[in-house]
Amino acid sequence: MGLTGKLVAAIEFRAGGDVFHELVTLKPHHVSKTSPEKVQGCDLHEGEFGKVGSVICWRYTHGKSYILYDINLDMVGSTEGKEKTAKQLIQAIDEEKNSIEFKMLEGDLMKLYKDITLHIDTKDGIDLVTWTLEYETLHDDVEHPISLLSFFIDMTKDIENHHLQKA
């Protein structure tokens, strides 16, 4: 039996919560243009972007990166994060609350987690993007997805910087 958990992070988004909500809801295939090192693409598998019941598949790079040095402190190599996939169902959209909810169907995360749901909320007056991960691990020894939450925070910053540079 695995462990269940919930991780939440809220980060200020100076480009406006509506901008972020529109991007992840209606134009997720554009996220790769705003955060290309993290997201390589988003494909529609069923339905329409921005519609409940639709299925999308993300291609992304996640994981630890290291630079390797020898005893003389000369760089001898590096490792990069691994390319991964995540097939998700759009489970709910609330335009008034600027929120969207995804349920994981397939992909690399399902090797570690029995269930994982992602909620993204944006608030107009405060311009916060809130990421909520609810999950159940397959086994007790599986790590909590803290690095995944960090990935989402960094991606949010990339998207913000992209939109602020355009303004």
Side-chain angles (χ1 to χ4, degrees):
M1 177 103 183
L3 303 171
T4 59
K6 182 177 186 176
L7 296 174
V8 179
I11 182 169
E12 181 180 11
F13 191 77
R14 295 172 294 164
D18 289 342
V19 170
F20 191 86
H21 177 70
E22 181 180 319
L23 179 68
V24 296
T25 304
L26 299 173
K27 302 174 185 174
H29 52 293
H30 290 182
V31 172
S32 62
K33 294 176 184 173
T34 62
S35 187
E37 290 180 5
K38 292 172 189 60
V39 178
Q40 287 71 55
C42 179
D43 301 315
L44 181 65
H45 281 243
E46 295 176 28
E48 290 180 53
F49 287 124
K51 300 289 183 190
V52 172
S54 297
V55 176
I56 60 176
C57 186
W58 296 91
R59 294 182 321 281
Y60 64 100
T61 301
H62 175 250
K64 297 177 181 175
S65 297
Y66 298 100
I67 298 176
L68 307 172
Y69 296 94
D70 66 12
I71 197 162
N72 298 318
L73 297 179
D74 293 323
M75 189 174 99
V76 293
S78 64
T79 62
E80 298 292 326
K82 294 183 178 181
E83 288 189 26
K84 301 184 179 189
T85 61
K87 192 172 188 179
Q88 298 175 326
L89 170 71
I90 299 175
Q91 211 166 254
I93 297 173
D94 187 329
E95 294 298 338
E96 285 183 26
K97 294 181 181 178
N98 278 346
S99 70
I100 187 166
E101 180 179 320
F102 297 98
K103 176 155 182 68
M104 195 68 61
L105 300 175
E106 297 174 15
D108 294 278
L109 292 171
M110 299 310 287
K111 295 174 187 171
L112 300 171
Y113 303 97
K114 180 179 177 182
D115 186 40
I116 191 161
T117 303
L118 177 64
H119 308 265
I120 308 166
D121 300 300
T122 58
K123 307 233 183 324
D124 281 335
I126 307 169
D127 285 333
L128 285 177
V129 173
T130 304
W131 293 89
T132 305
L133 278 119
E134 295 183 43
Y135 58 94
E136 181 179 351
T137 64
L138 286 174
H139 309 285
D140 290 347
D141 59 346
V142 173
E143 291 185 18
H144 298 278
I146 294 170
S147 70
L148 186 61
L149 191 61
S150 179
F151 171 89
F152 290 133
I153 292 168
D154 292 342
M155 184 182 71
T156 303
K157 291 177 188 176
D158 289 348
I159 293 168
E160 176 187 59
N161 289 334
H162 175 84
H163 283 284
L164 290 176
Q165 288 174 2
K166 282 177 37 177

